[in-house]
Amino acid sequence: MPNGLIDDASLRVHPEGLALALTIPWYRSLWLSSVTTIRLTIDGADIPEADLAFELDGVRYDIADLPNQSDVLWYLQSHPLLVVRRDPPVELGETHEIELHGELRLPYMQIAPGQDGGPGMYVPNVVHQRLTLTATNRDAPVPVFVAGSAEPVTTSDEDPFKLGLTLYSASAEFRAGWFDFDGLLDRVAELGIGPGIEIVASQVLPTYPVVSDEFASTWRSAFDRHGFEASSFGANLDMGLRRGRDMTPDEEFEFSDLLFRGAKKLGFPLVRIQSAKPELLRRLLPVAEELELKLAYEIHAPMGPNAPEILKVRDVYAELDSPLLGFVADFSSTMHSMSPTLLRAVRRAGLDDDAVQELQRIWATDAPMRARQEEFIGYLNGRGFDPGRLGSFAHLAFNMHGHVDPHEWSDIMPQILHVHAKFYDIDENGQEPAIDYPELVRIFVEGGYRGYWSSEWEGHAFAELGEVDPLLLVRKQHDLIRASMRAAQTV
């Protein structure tokens, strides 16, 4: 998914001078308070901040005031305007050199909590673009999505796992407006994917974190039409919602409670939770019991089931002793190599063969994640390569790819309530080149797991929009999983 704020159709005529139609450079909606920096240069001239305004849904904000807008959501499919006061105004068809620098912080990806009531440290997303654009007065037409097709699904009552997907797999296409919500679910059904449907609430809810009656009606209509089943409701905890401080314990509870009630409204039996703080879980358990929801903490790269942080969660679970508490196993934790999709992306960003080789060497070491990130960033700086050219990849290459032994999942198998069948590629042999799916299937079949495997294609984090059909890849992955399940049962 291109990590950009602007594209070829962004420059717009505007009576005050010009405007840039912006795209959120992430896979989910963010709060305006997440915008840290916006700097603009036009034809080599820096534009003073006083001549810029950010306009979303008809409301204008000064750039300096964006950090205070912690209650204003920049929805994933919205395209606010960066209005530039300029005399004379740009005319239709004019061409200009646009250089835009943006910095955002991701409010749910906390690196370290705040101290003494101050703000914590959060994963940044840095965007720097230099494009030659021609002024227009309309959005680019939505391209015709040339979709692949798939053979009818062959299912068996003997299959140990139910299959489904998280709609996160089509993040780039959804953000670009290639699908509305109904159309996305129709395409899933067309390819025989399902029956399980998982969502990331912060991605698909226009009124996040609230589930509106209108959204619930659309949801129920699609499920009735296609026979889908709700599998997992992804609930982020936006601890960095406010720029000056982290959420208080009461705010964490209230935000989570609101999401839980939305999950129940849509018929989900399970919520993927982001925080397993003992005091928060103690307060949330009665809510989960009231709503009959299971709560599953995600084990995601770079951690595995026996990482120190996860061992602490396991201790909390043992203390609380509730059958509603468990884990989501995300297979990003148990990769044997970095994905080809990621390596192609960093090459496009300018890394040469030596840098790509060094990235893979550092990734394969057993050093802590932050130490590996810092080593790689230090390597880039030492070569005079600005890490900012990689956007968030310099950090996320290590966050998103782990190399834990897949057999460690057996240590917590009875507590695994849901699976994120993470993948990035399906090669010409029908295999995932960086994740050993036949072995993972064997481990989970032998371990007695009988829940959902929810396909999660995360190649959109690195691939260009339109490079592949993500839903067709999901279908191919389902074919791989089904073949692996049946092979494991015959051994």
Side-chain angles (χ1 to χ4, degrees), residues 307-357:
E309 299 89 339
I310 301 303
L311 290 175
K312 291 179 181 178
V313 177
R314 291 168 64 178
D315 288 343
V316 171
Y317 281 6
E319 176 189 344
L320 296 176
D321 191 27
S322 170
L324 298 180
L325 297 175
F327 294 101
V328 174
D330 188 294
F331 291 158
S332 63
S333 296
T334 45
M335 300 175 67
H336 56 71
S337 59
M338 301 191 85
S339 69
T341 305
L342 168 63
L343 298 180
R344 287 195 298 270
V346 296
R347 288 182 188 279
R348 283 195 299 266
L351 292 192
D352 60 17
D353 289 345
D354 288 343
V356 171
Q357 184 175 353

Side-chain angles (χ1 to χ4, degrees), residues 186-473:
D186 289 345
R187 175 61 179 156
V188 169
E190 177 187 330
L191 286 172
I193 299 169
I197 301 294
E198 176 176 359
I199 64 170
V200 177
S202 57
Q203 180 177 71
V204 302
L205 298 179
T207 53
Y208 173 78
V210 174
V211 173
S212 68
D213 291 342
E214 180 182 1
F215 184 88
S217 176
T218 299
W219 175 265
R220 285 191 293 269
S221 175
F223 271 50
D224 291 344
R225 191 164 65 249
H226 298 306
F228 291 140
E229 298 175 6
S231 62
S232 171
F233 181 96
N236 294 134
L237 183 57
D238 293 351
M239 295 169 285
L241 173 67
R242 294 168 182 80
R243 289 291 296 279
R245 61 174 178 83
D246 294 339
M247 279 186 172
T248 66
D250 284 345
E251 289 167 341
E252 290 182 352
F253 171 77
E254 291 162 4
F255 196 86
S256 300
D257 179 82
L258 190 59
L259 286 166
F260 285 16
R261 296 186 186 281
K264 181 66 175 179
K265 187 173 183 177
L266 296 177
F268 282 95
L270 179 145
V271 174
R272 174 188 56 76
I273 58 174
Q274 191 177 352
S275 175
K277 297 176 183 177
E279 61 277 11
L280 179 59
L281 282 180
R282 286 192 186 94
R283 296 181 67 182
L284 288 174
L285 267 177
V287 179
E289 290 167 356
E290 172 199 343
L291 301 176
E292 299 179 309
L293 291 172
K294 292 183 178 180
L295 309 182
Y297 183 82
E298 184 175 17
I299 302 177
H300 188 285
M303 296 182 291
N306 296 307
E309 299 89 339
I310 301 303
L311 290 175
K312 291 179 181 178
V313 177
R314 291 168 64 178
D315 288 343
V316 171
Y317 281 6
E319 176 189 344
L320 296 176
D321 191 27
S322 170
L324 298 180
L325 297 175
F327 294 101
V328 174
D330 188 294
F331 291 158
S332 63
S333 296
T334 45
M335 300 175 67
H336 56 71
S337 59
M338 301 191 85
S339 69
T341 305
L342 168 63
L343 298 180
R344 287 195 298 270
V346 296
R347 288 182 188 279
R348 283 195 299 266
L351 292 192
D352 60 17
D353 289 345
D354 288 343
V356 171
Q357 184 175 353
E358 183 66 4
L359 170 63
Q360 293 176 88
R361 185 198 67 79
I362 294 172
W363 175 80
T365 67
D366 292 327
M369 178 190 68
R370 289 187 66 184
R372 286 183 287 157
Q373 288 174 342
E374 291 167 0
E375 181 180 356
F376 182 58
I377 290 171
Y379 166 80
L380 295 178
N381 286 328
R383 290 192 53 187
F385 186 98
D386 178 9
R389 289 174 59 185
L390 298 180
S392 59
F393 292 166
H395 294 273
L396 296 182
F398 300 96
N399 292 50
M400 296 170 72
H401 284 39
H403 51 68
V404 174
D405 185 337
H407 292 86
E408 287 194 23
W409 294 121
S410 299
D411 297 342
I412 59 165
M413 192 65 70
Q415 291 179 291
I416 296 177
L417 303 179
H418 188 73
V419 166
H420 279 170
K422 181 69 60 64
F423 75 111
Y424 296 89
D425 298 270
I426 298 294
D427 64 20
E428 63 277 6
N429 299 314
Q431 298 292 322
E432 214 301 343
I435 303 172
D436 189 344
Y437 264 89
E439 179 65 5
L440 283 165
V441 167
R442 186 188 65 78
I443 290 168
F444 275 70
V445 168
E446 292 180 357
Y449 179 82
R450 295 298 181 267
Y452 265 109
W453 274 36
S454 188
S455 290
E456 184 176 23
W457 184 68
E458 202 164 43
H460 58 72
F462 313 121
E464 293 296 319
L465 180 64
E467 185 176 332
V468 296
D469 179 343
L471 297 179
L472 187 57
L473 282 179

